[in-house]
Amino acid sequence: MIDEIIGIFVKITKIPHCSKETEALREYIMEWSRSCGYETAADAAGNVAAYCAKSRVTLQAHYDMVCVGRAPDIEPVIEDGWMKADGSSLGADNGIGVAIMLYLMQKGAKADFLFTNDEEIGLIGANNLALGIRTSNLLNLDSEEFGKIYIGCAGGEDLFLQCPLAFKEAQAGGVWYELLAHAPGGHSGVNIADGIPNAITLLSKTIWENQSAEICSLKGGERINAIPRLAEAVVVVPEGKELKISDMHIEYRKIDPLSESVMERGRMVAATLFGFAHGVRGWNRDLNTPQTSINLAMVDADGKREGVKISLSGRAMDNEDLGFLSEQTLAGFDALGFTGKKEGKYPAWKPEINAFSEKVRDVYEKFYPEVEYAAIHAGLECAIFSAKFPTLKIASIGPTILDPHSDRERVELASVESITKVVEAIIADLSPI
């Protein structure tokens, strides 16, 4: 079993499927579905459904991925029972779920299958789903901890801020430096409470500590839903002043003087970024997960005409808390002269135990007696489906995936095999042949 699933997943890694660039993998999934004898349909948002006449459960996964590092050039590596990628994100989130579903289709499973598009950039596919869900139960395969049945998730909203900047001639005789911050990176929801350093924060702290440094450019972050692992800046320090570097995450080198100008309010930019409270803002003791958090995701202060751009991603386990977090953040930046807008909002999924989740637990316990319910501080498409289809009963499970949305992403292969057996048993229990 596991060799077949991993073989399918490796094929998926060779088909580029970064968010917004998923066409090739969509065609692959549709052809696979047809070849397995399922009624296959797609909609304008890129979602794909495969229907089976005797199904009583829909399996669902998204097929886009967060591309970090060298991705979509992915080279899978297996070590000590785990699969990772060499120098990039792996795409196990949620490619492993897709691979499990394709494997089950190949076996003729009596289930419906829903493959959603562009989940990683605002749950776009789920939000614009025009395909029907014909069953009364939906099992999402986008969770990332074996032994947990997820029955709730955070909602989220992205914030984009911009402030015009004036520029002036760089001081004569200054010494020019290129600064580079390296950090581990990680998922902006799943890993937000893990104390992972933010490369933008680290770099801004270094610039702030060098009071005489002036900023020519500052950029950092790769994806709105990833904790930044890289940030870079070009600064000039007056002759006779020493550049002080106290953080092990910061590299620097002298460069030839540039003819470019520097920011008049560069200190404000550094202070704004360093002073921003990236990370967990509140804790939910009942669910033992963050209640609210915000990710300082990206900054671009490299374009003189457009000034400085800052991208943030907020999350909350409650829709009212999410609204408060967004408005409070916009108000704070407004006071500093920024204009802002909100995009990509998706709701929280209020934790609920229902007849289907109880059935999932009953089956799961036969394979893993310690299984328990949980809620995740990340977005799941379950929240969208719950709002669109109020009578639909939903639960979410998956294998163990660590550090998604980073070049350290890895999946435990034994858990892939175990979760597939659980899924097969759920299908057999609900849809006997």
Side-chain angles (χ1 to χ4, degrees), residues 120 158-160 188 222-226 295 297-298 311-313:
E120 299 288 9
D158 298 332
L159 305 177
F160 298 94
S188 64
E222 295 176 272
R223 298 287 183 270
I224 191 74
N225 51 5
N295 178 44
M298 293 183 287
S311 302
L312 310 169
S313 178

Side-chain angles (χ1 to χ4, degrees), residues 230-251:
L230 297 173
E232 58 185 358
V234 173
V235 302
V236 58
V237 175
E239 190 173 4
K241 293 286 186 178
E242 180 183 356
L243 181 69
K244 298 178 181 179
I245 305 293
S246 59
D247 195 307
M248 60 178 291
H249 296 89
I250 306 295
E251 297 178 3

Side-chain angles (χ1 to χ4, degrees), residues 56-93:
R56 292 177 59 198
V57 62
T58 297
L59 306 185
Q60 183 266 320
H62 69 84
Y63 65 93
D64 64 311
M65 68 170 287
V66 173
C67 287
V68 172
R70 298 208 303 250
D73 182 10
I74 301 171
E75 290 297 330
V77 177
I78 295 177
E79 292 181 357
D80 300 323
W82 292 77
M83 177 180 281
K84 61 181 182 178
D86 183 11
S88 75
S89 48
L90 176 63
D93 174 14

Side-chain angles (χ1 to χ4, degrees), residues 176-180 233 235 243 251-256:
W176 291 78
Y177 294 92
E178 182 179 73
L179 308 179
L180 181 63
V235 302
L243 181 69
E251 297 178 3
Y252 71 98
R253 67 182 183 93
K254 288 184 180 180
I255 60 175
D256 293 334

Side-chain angles (χ1 to χ4, degrees), residues 12-258:
I12 290 173
T13 67
K14 302 306 178 183
I15 304 171
H17 55 287
C18 307
S19 299
K20 292 186 178 181
E21 300 174 352
T22 58
E23 295 84 357
L25 184 53
R26 178 163 63 251
E27 291 301 320
Y28 182 83
I29 292 171
M30 293 183 69
E31 180 56 34
W32 186 289
S33 301
R34 294 189 191 102
S35 69
C36 293
Y38 289 82
E39 177 191 344
T40 305
D43 62 20
N47 302 303
V48 176
Y51 299 108
C52 172
K54 297 181 180 180
S55 175
R56 292 177 59 198
V57 62
T58 297
L59 306 185
Q60 183 266 320
H62 69 84
Y63 65 93
D64 64 311
M65 68 170 287
V66 173
C67 287
V68 172
R70 298 208 303 250
D73 182 10
I74 301 171
E75 290 297 330
V77 177
I78 295 177
E79 292 181 357
D80 300 323
W82 292 77
M83 177 180 281
K84 61 181 182 178
D86 183 11
S88 75
S89 48
L90 176 63
D93 174 14
N94 190 211
I96 282 291
V98 172
I100 291 171
M101 287 163 61
L102 296 181
Y103 165 79
L104 293 173
M105 293 173 76
Q106 188 171 256
K107 293 189 68 177
K110 304 300 182 183
D112 289 353
F113 298 83
L114 177 60
F115 303 87
T116 49
N117 189 28
D118 287 340
E119 185 267 356
E120 299 288 9
I121 51 174
L123 289 76
I124 291 175
N127 269 310
N128 296 280
L129 181 68
L131 300 169
I133 295 178
R134 299 179 180 178
T135 65
S136 58
N137 306 301
L138 183 140
L139 186 64
N140 170 277
L141 300 182
D142 193 20
S143 296
E144 295 163 358
E145 185 174 0
F146 182 77
K148 298 287 180 68
I149 301 169
Y150 286 91
I151 56 171
C153 75
E157 188 164 40
D158 298 332
L159 305 177
F160 298 94
L161 303 136
Q162 187 169 327
C163 181
L165 294 173
F167 286 76
K168 62 183 180 181
E169 289 292 326
Q171 55 187 290
V175 182
W176 291 78
Y177 294 92
E178 182 179 73
L179 308 179
L180 181 63
H182 292 272
H187 190 293
S188 64
V190 174
N191 299 127
I192 200 68
D194 293 346
I196 295 173
N198 183 313
I200 296 173
T201 303
L202 297 176
L203 184 60
S204 302
K205 177 178 182 289
T206 295
I207 296 173
W208 175 251
E209 290 175 340
N210 285 273
Q211 294 287 319
S212 63
E214 295 187 307
I215 305 173
C216 175
S217 65
L218 195 160
K219 297 182 71 172
E222 295 176 272
R223 298 287 183 270
I224 191 74
N225 51 5
I227 300 171
R229 66 188 187 97
L230 297 173
E232 58 185 358
V234 173
V235 302
V236 58
V237 175
E239 190 173 4
K241 293 286 186 178
E242 180 183 356
L243 181 69
K244 298 178 181 179
I245 305 293
S246 59
D247 195 307
M248 60 178 291
H249 296 89
I250 306 295
E251 297 178 3
Y252 71 98
R253 67 182 183 93
K254 288 184 180 180
I255 60 175
D256 293 334
L258 301 178

